[in-house]
Amino acid sequence: MFVTSFRRQTMSELTDLELTDEQKIDKEFKALLNDYLNSNHRKKVEIIERAFNFANEAHKGIKRRSGEPYILHPLAVARIVCRDIGLGSTSICAALLHDVVEDTDYTEEDIENLFGKKIAQIVSGLTKISGGIFGDKASAQAENFRKLLLTMPEDIRVILIKIADRLHNMRTLGSMLPSKQYKIAGETLYIYAPLAHRLGLFAIKTELEDLSFKYEHPDAYADINQKIIDSEEDRTKLFEIFAQPIKKQLEAMGLDFEIKARVKSVYSIWNKMQVKNIPFEEVYDLFAVRIIFKPKDYKDEKTDCWKIYSIITDIYKLHPERIRDWVSRPKANGYQALHVTVMGPDGNWIEVQIRSDKMDDIAERGFAAHWKYKVGETDEESELDKWLKTIKEILENPEPNALDFLDTIKLNLFASEIFVFTPKGDLKTLPKNATALDFAFSLHTNIGLQAIAAKVNHKLVPLSQPLQSGDQVEILTSKNQSPNHDALNYVNTAKAKTKIIGYLRKEKRINIQKGEKLLNHFFEKNQIEASQVVIDKLLSHFCLKKREELFSKVGNGEIELDENTKKLIKEKNGNVLLKYWKMSFGKKDDSQNQKKENPAHIINRKETYILREVNGKKNYTIAACCKPIPGDDVLGYINDNESVVVHKRSCPLATKLKSSFGPRIISAQWAGDNEKSFSATIEIKGIDSVGVLNHITQVITGNLAVNIRNLHIDTSDGIFQGKIGVFVHDVNEVENLCHSLKQINEVKSANRINQ
């Protein structure tokens, strides 16, 4: 007994670097058991120990890229599943075993025989969606995400464990190549963070965002993080002054509570700076105050929230437009809290979040924690079940393209909710910006397809009308109505988009069949041979590329088969055919000539690609969507011509490329000699006065010797705002220019924007 305790004490004092691989594994497993024993779950330690021993033996001798034993990864995932998500022994075992079937010779049958059917099913679901996530197939990630969502209605624990797996991969991303880091970070920000948010895993969602940002923008991350640390003392003083009178009143109320300050995440601060074009110093809502209380009776927790609200608003001045009542009506991801914004002692607004300890647990751990508090079964369909049902409907679409599907599903992932009523008073949850047509599809697919107009609060409106929370909506239908392509422009839900696209595809197939019959009948009637030459002549004349397009337009009546068509076909002049011949084959010759003139250089995708210009020729192309300049954090995308297109790492299109075409992403870096000029746009705002424009141009062209590309300024009611296009060499030059412009008394803001 004495020897064992002495050995444990020695191990605990050793640093991770000093521990052997076996000691590291032993230490992590004991930490996992400790997390599990401190949870509210039934204590099934024996099966967890068996799963660990089995996985440890299966992965024996295998190392991760970081050099650590592979088993440390499943152990870390199991700890996240237990401690951060709050799941029990079944999920912990599945997490420990999640890579065994994929990476070793063991089969799903082996897992089922040893650990039972339920654990085997979850491991099977995880195995199905893991292949290719880090693979080399373009759009494999999108297809795997689709598979992942297909498993959700069966057992949501599959997706929860997958999110835990991604979180640990992000925590250890430093050992990967930069190109892999960008790909995985982009995919995480595009898919996994919003998915974690939708499932209510707020803490995990925040960490995924911060880690993605850290690898994509290391300098900006370090800068903001340092500024948060530097401003901590001032924040602490402000919080103590703000919290003191509230604490006093809550104690007098006899409440068991905790009050703390929650600092915004690095990513959300940066995001706000980007969206509002403001520096760090102008992000005033840097922290929020959170009050977490333990009610004497959980039946009274809503009442207690409003009592605390009353105390706060008696002390501080309320912002009436920034009250968020998610206590009476929780968010679709289960989030419950009462948010109120009040004027702080320093004259800035401070948000206060009021939650019970149960609400806080659900907010941090999501639906997994929700189950812990659920008493008995309920007939009411939960918001999560509704969401999963919608996902399943979208997946049932017979021909979804994986990448289109990703974009469609993100409509639901990112959605903020509004609540609207049917004429009978039933409540429907819809994404923010949803229209009357979205509402129609939420009721039933046929109602959406046959909708002609809507009544919102008893007033007749078009189907494109955006809805607001509290609206009562009635849909008017007609059996003769059907949607057209324009309908896609005014729907914002995944279900509506998918159903309209499905209907239009079906209609197109019918039109193609109808058009082909009409065209064949027209040929027979006019004794025309239905040859490829004739079809090519029609395609060229109507500027179409495929015969299916021709058949479809004939079928829906856009192209009439009349005497003019007959004359066109029988015309012996070869000009049309010659034009088509050149159109079809000329491009091929051009591209071959182009390749001869610019032989494609081999790009080493594992090394950082240096962006340079030699003898006036660049080895890259600037992306028109974000127009990066030297000094911006960038990455390269290898297009079909084996050319490198340079994007900002923060560019929305680049985020999509990282998620959809990961293997084409390469690490890129500007060469040191930036002699070439790049275009940039500065947005400027200020107070109008005589001579201010002259002063601005003098600073740009005179003091800083920067060339102006274009300038557009508007003035209204004593305020001016505009955009100045300039030629600069790098980011530092733009920042110096913005700084110099802000020194002009009349100028209140000057920031670079994408234009």
Side-chain angles (χ1 to χ4, degrees), residues 338-443:
L338 184 58
H339 290 198
V340 55
T341 301
V342 293
M343 180 70 76
D346 64 341
N348 287 314
W349 296 107
I350 294 176
E351 183 182 74
V352 184
Q353 301 166 356
I354 306 165
R355 307 173 177 175
S356 70
D357 55 349
K358 171 183 162 183
M359 293 174 186
D360 186 62
D361 200 12
I362 291 169
E364 297 302 312
R365 296 185 178 195
F367 281 106
H370 213 314
W371 299 337
K372 191 171 81 178
Y373 295 101
K374 202 170 179 181
V375 181
E377 291 300 314
T378 174
D379 294 330
E380 188 181 345
E381 193 179 23
S382 74
E383 289 293 347
L384 178 64
D385 291 336
K386 289 178 192 172
W387 186 63
L388 295 178
K389 192 176 171 184
T390 305
I391 299 290
K392 207 169 184 182
E393 282 183 26
I394 294 164
L395 292 166
E396 283 165 2
N397 181 12
E399 26 180 5
N401 171 282
L403 300 179
D404 290 344
F405 164 77
L406 249 187
D407 281 339
T408 305
I409 209 67
K410 275 173 65 63
L411 291 172
N412 272 21
L413 288 179
F414 278 125
S416 299
E417 295 84 22
I418 59 168
F419 308 107
V420 294
F421 296 91
T422 67
K424 291 183 178 178
D426 294 331
L427 195 64
K428 289 282 176 186
T429 305
L430 290 169
K432 193 177 177 183
N433 300 322
T435 62
L437 188 55
D438 287 311
F439 176 78
F441 276 101
S442 76
L443 297 173

Side-chain angles (χ1 to χ4, degrees), residues 186-224:
E187 181 185 292
T188 300
L189 208 52
Y190 190 69
I191 297 172
Y192 287 91
L195 191 56
H197 175 71
R198 196 66 163 102
L199 294 172
L201 301 169
F202 180 77
I204 288 177
K205 168 244 184 190
T206 302
E207 189 176 353
L208 287 172
E209 286 177 342
D210 271 7
L211 287 168
S212 298
F213 178 58
K214 181 181 175 181
Y215 285 104
E216 291 201 311
H217 303 277
D219 294 338
Y221 178 90
D223 181 51
I224 294 171

Side-chain angles (χ1 to χ4, degrees), residues 19-37:
L19 294 173
T20 64
D21 285 351
E22 288 73 18
Q23 287 172 328
K24 283 181 188 174
I25 294 166
D26 186 46
K27 182 182 175 185
E28 281 302 302
F29 180 59
K30 282 176 179 159
L32 169 63
L33 282 183
N34 188 50
D35 290 339
Y36 177 64
L37 292 169

Side-chain angles (χ1 to χ4, degrees), residues 609-613 619-620 634 644 646 668-672 674:
Y609 187 79
I610 305 300
L611 307 170
R612 54 166 61 96
E613 184 174 338
N619 66 345
Y620 61 91
V634 292
V644 174
V646 186
Q669 186 179 313
W670 300 100
N674 300 321

Side-chain angles (χ1 to χ4, degrees), residues 437-499:
L437 188 55
D438 287 311
F439 176 78
F441 276 101
S442 76
L443 297 173
H444 195 279
T445 299
N446 287 341
I447 294 175
L449 294 174
Q450 295 174 2
I452 53 172
K455 282 185 177 178
V456 174
N457 304 325
H458 309 294
K459 290 180 182 177
L460 193 65
V461 298
L463 292 169
S464 57
Q465 174 83 13
L467 302 177
Q468 306 292 328
S469 269
D471 282 345
Q472 188 175 43
V473 188
E474 180 186 352
I475 301 297
L476 309 179
T477 60
S478 166
K479 288 184 179 179
N480 299 323
Q481 178 68 7
S482 60
N484 55 29
H485 276 281
D486 291 340
L488 289 170
N489 297 327
Y490 50 85
V491 290
N492 289 300
T493 58
K495 179 178 180 179
K497 258 190 184 348
T498 306
K499 293 298 181 184

Side-chain angles (χ1 to χ4, degrees), residues 3 27 49 171 230 251 497 577 598 618 633 679 742:
V3 174
K27 182 182 175 185
E49 286 179 337
R171 285 174 178 173
D230 293 343
E251 284 165 359
K497 258 190 184 348
L577 281 175
N598 302 307
K618 295 182 291 186
D633 290 335
S679 65
K742 286 176 189 174

